[in-house]
Amino acid sequence: VPVTGVSVSPENVSLFINASTQLTATVSPANASNKNVIWSSSNSAVASVNSSGLVTGIAQGTAVVTAITVSGNKTA
């Protein structure tokens, strides 16, 4: 079943330096064949994200964390 979309929660997060929070990607539809996503940070000097969506504050500033579906190339 092809992927039709993805959403990330929570949508907005404020972190202290060295603090972490878990983001969750929800792939649509629920019965999609491949629900894998790739996480990235727009500014890894401010916030890093690992392969499971765990975001860690590195320095003061702003970063956008994005989840991209492996199947269908949908982003959130």
Side-chain angles (χ1 to χ4, degrees), residues 12-13 33 40 52 56 65:
N12 294 298
V13 175
S33 299
S40 65
S52 65
T56 302
V65 174

Side-chain angles (χ1 to χ4, degrees), residues 1-7 24-39 51 67-72 74:
V1 176
V3 171
T4 58
V6 63
S7 62
T24 302
T26 303
V27 176
S28 301
N31 62 343
S33 299
N34 185 346
K35 294 186 177 184
N36 294 325
V37 297
I38 297 170
W39 294 95
S51 61
I68 304 170
T69 61
V70 171
S71 176
K74 306 295 182 183

Side-chain angles (χ1 to χ4, degrees), residues 11 33 35 48 50 66 70 76:
E11 289 186 16
S33 299
K35 294 186 177 184
S48 66
N50 71 11
T66 305
V70 171

